[in-house]
Amino acid sequence: MIYKKIKYLLVFILTLLCIDTYATHNRAGEITYIQISELTFEITVTTYTYTLSNVDREELEVEWGDGIISTIPRKDLLELPDFYQRNRYTARHTFPGPGIYEVLVQDPNRNFGVENIPNSVNTVFSIKTSIFVNPDLGSNSTPILLNPPINQAAQYRTFIHNPGAYDEEGDSLSYKLTACLGENGEPIGSDILPPATESIEINEVTGDLIWKTPPDTGKYNIAIQIAEWRSGIKIGAVTRDMQIDVYPTENHPPEIDSIGELCVLVGDTARTLIRSTDIDYNNIELTATGGPFLFENGPAIIEEVSSVAGENISKFTWATTCNHIRKEPYIVVISAKDDHPDVKLVGLERLLVKVIGPEPYGLQAEPGNAFIRLNWNTPDCNPSKFLIYRKIGSLDYVHDSCTNGLPEESGYEFVGETTDTAYVDNDNGEGLVQGFDYCYRIVAEYADGAQSFPSEEQCTSIAAGFPILTNVSVLNTAI
């Protein structure tokens, strides 16, 4: 009898091992793309798999959303900590015409034992992204996700993750939690958010996923949708499906002192010190990801200044150039990871870096007959156009280091734009009148809509004695 019980127990254990070894490899993933031509796109499928599963996909099938299915090869793989492996698969496809296409990859199966996906080991792992093929929107590529989804969480400790999305074209991004997908890319009906003692939510602007706090240990999956917006129009969306492993531990994640925003005039160097601390006095490794580190010419750097048990101080430095100018601030995600022998935890903080283009200079205002002629010099960095602002009466307006353009509260009125370095203001044909001081400032606008600081103010008036034409007919002229 005892022999039979031992035999059945061994069979049961071996069965569990087989399940965990051979059918539990998919942990996380997303699909991104770049646009090659009007109808041709290159996608990259990124998956994060469990290296001890003995399941290794050298190729995957992709459904393009237009009825075509392709088998695409793996481009590269990278071994990561905690038995993670990152796999990348790439392929190009030409769509038949304009439209919205849902690109789908599904691969059996998910991990065994995902707490918020019942029977997860028999549930297909699916990821998809939306491609908007529309020539009127211009060329578009998805943001790339720079932070891998491999951080561990601690029971009863706040967990933070940020995908580190960077959009090279400077499109606005928004974030929301969405359903994990199963067979045929359909939402998993039983899928629910992981339990939380307070809340689990994502900031729709910054992309910070904050889980306050995991009450239970185990594996959990969530999905984050990142949408792109251009001129108020949604032009694409990518979804990251990711797994979070929650462990029991007495360890606490490191904390990073608040950093805020750096605003820098192009040509100057953005720099700041970043301090992280750990109340358990673990050693801290501080790293950073974001667009400023991706430039081939003039990338940002982060370097350690000092490191002792419980504290790390590092320095962010970025010498900015003209190709760094853009409308949206760059988001740098700072990660502080401790070296606790039990569970290594991570603290996150965001640094915003705004690079502002140079303003026009040498503005001159010359009065004429019911008009004022303006001339100025073009700044460096090749602005795409100039915006002209006017105010009656001088104003000693002083902008702060982060306010570019001319806000409405400055009192200046927008009167026109030009690609030239000269402009004639005649109040849209109505004519300027004598007796007023007209004051002007010029703002340079760059390719993606980024604006410079305003130029120095220049004022003048229509001098008395200029004849002002007020009424003209074929027979009579009134002055």
Side-chain angles (χ1 to χ4, degrees):
M1 178 67 78
I2 295 176
Y3 170 78
K4 287 185 177 179
K5 288 183 177 179
I6 294 174
K7 179 181 177 182
Y8 292 146
L9 180 59
L10 288 173
V11 170
F12 177 71
I13 292 173
L14 287 172
T15 301
L16 289 180
L17 288 174
C18 288
I19 290 174
D20 195 41
T21 301
Y22 291 103
T24 61
H25 65 293
N26 279 306
R27 288 188 166 188
E30 67 255 7
I31 305 171
T32 56
Y33 63 82
I34 59 174
Q35 187 167 358
I36 304 301
S37 64
E38 187 173 291
L39 299 177
T40 301
F41 292 75
E42 179 179 279
I43 68 163
T44 296
V45 180
T46 303
T47 64
Y48 296 85
T49 53
Y50 187 47
T51 59
L52 299 183
S53 68
N54 290 338
V55 179
D56 187 36
R57 307 288 197 219
E58 294 186 356
E59 57 188 24
L60 290 174
E61 282 193 348
V62 57
E63 302 173 38
W64 295 100
D66 59 358
I68 304 297
I69 300 176
S70 303
T71 300
I72 62 175
R74 182 166 56 194
K75 180 181 180 181
D76 62 60
L77 64 86
L78 176 66
E79 298 292 336
L80 298 171
D82 305 316
F83 307 110
Y84 271 82
Q85 176 177 293
R86 188 195 69 192
N87 312 275
R88 284 180 173 165
Y89 309 79
T90 61
R92 291 188 179 186
H93 182 70
T94 300
F95 291 95
I100 300 176
Y101 299 91
E102 296 283 355
V103 179
L104 172 68
V105 170
Q106 44 186 333
D107 180 30
N109 274 341
R110 293 180 176 270
N111 289 64
F112 172 77
V114 179
E115 300 292 341
N116 62 325
I117 301 180
N119 195 26
S120 60
V121 72
N122 291 317
T123 302
V124 171
F125 176 79
S126 292
I127 47 177
K128 67 180 177 181
T129 194
S130 301
I131 297 181
F132 289 49
V133 181
N134 185 344
D136 294 337
L137 295 176
S139 179
N140 181 54
S141 301
T142 59
I144 53 176
L145 309 186
L146 300 174
N147 278 347
I150 60 174
N151 294 335
Q152 299 170 337
Q155 187 181 22
Y156 303 123
R157 305 278 191 264
T158 296
F159 172 81
I160 303 177
H161 172 75
N162 189 300
Y166 170 64
D167 192 284
E168 186 175 4
E169 295 146 330
D171 295 319
S172 298
L173 304 179
S174 65
Y175 304 80
K176 71 175 183 179
L177 291 174
T178 188
C180 295
L181 305 179
E183 190 170 4
N184 297 320
E186 295 297 324
I188 300 172
S190 57
D191 176 52
I192 57 173
L193 286 175
T197 54
E198 292 186 33
S199 61
I200 179 169
E201 57 189 7
I202 192 166
N203 186 299
E204 64 179 10
V205 176
T206 67
D208 286 344
L209 169 71
I210 302 178
W211 186 358
K212 295 183 179 180
T213 55
D216 303 313
T217 60
K219 303 178 181 71
Y220 299 88
N221 268 74
I222 63 163
I224 301 171
Q225 185 186 95
I226 304 163
E228 297 177 88
W229 303 83
R230 185 178 296 171
S231 301
I233 300 172
K234 184 177 179 180
I235 60 172
V238 57
T239 298
R240 163 173 282 182
D241 188 316
M242 62 178 286
Q243 187 169 107
I244 306 169
D245 292 348
V246 183
Y247 295 93
T249 182
E250 295 300 318
N251 189 25
H252 298 78
E255 294 185 355
I256 303 174
D257 293 351
S258 179
I259 308 169
E261 184 175 17
L262 290 177
C263 297
V264 59
L265 180 64
V266 68
D268 294 340
T269 298
R271 52 170 61 92
T272 188
L273 290 177
I274 301 165
R275 177 176 178 265
S276 60
T277 56
D278 189 288
I279 64 173
D280 302 308
Y281 289 94
N282 297 308
N283 292 315
I284 303 168
E285 178 189 15
L286 195 142
T287 58
T289 58
F293 301 97
L294 301 181
F295 288 94
E296 291 186 9
N297 297 318
I301 59 173
I302 189 163
E303 52 189 345
E304 190 173 87
V305 175
S306 67
S307 181
V308 296
E311 183 185 64
N312 180 294
I313 298 176
S314 296
K315 181 171 66 175
F316 170 86
T317 307
W318 190 20
T320 60
T321 62
C322 288
N323 62 326
H324 300 152
I325 298 170
R326 76 173 201 167
K327 184 177 182 179
E328 295 292 325
Y330 295 89
I331 298 177
V332 176
V333 178
I334 312 293
S335 300
K337 186 175 185 179
D338 67 25
D339 68 346
H340 193 277
D342 182 11
V343 179
K344 295 176 175 59
L345 299 179
V346 173
L348 292 184
E349 186 62 53
R350 287 173 297 101
L351 167 65
L352 301 182
V353 185
K354 188 175 183 180
V355 181
I356 301 173
E359 67 270 23
Y361 65 97
L363 175 62
Q364 299 293 323
E366 179 185 352
N369 184 3
F371 67 84
I372 293 174
R373 181 180 289 108
L374 305 171
N375 294 276
W376 59 91
N377 294 318
T378 301
D380 295 333
C381 302
N382 298 318
S384 58
K385 62 182 176 180
F386 298 95
L387 311 179
I388 293 86
Y389 291 86
R390 181 185 66 211
K391 184 180 183 303
I392 295 178
S394 179
L395 176 67
D396 187 20
Y397 171 73
V398 179
H399 60 79
D400 62 41
S401 62
C402 285
T403 303
N404 53 331
L406 269 172
E408 186 176 344
E409 56 268 24
S410 70
Y412 288 88
E413 175 188 5
F414 173 74
V415 296
E417 62 182 51
T418 180
T419 57
D420 199 358
T421 56
Y423 184 83
V424 175
D425 178 23
N426 61 4
D427 198 18
N428 293 319
E430 296 294 324
L432 301 175
V433 299
Q434 298 173 359
F436 294 100
D437 284 331
Y438 293 102
C439 297
Y440 296 88
R441 292 182 188 266
I442 312 297
V443 172
E445 186 169 290
Y446 294 84
D448 73 338
Q451 295 184 359
S452 72
F453 291 128
S455 70
E456 293 292 329
E457 184 184 68
Q458 189 66 237
C459 300
T460 191
S461 59
I462 306 296
F466 267 123
I468 306 297
L469 298 180
T470 59
N471 184 36
V472 179
S473 71
V474 175
L475 299 177
N476 299 292
T477 298
I479 298 179

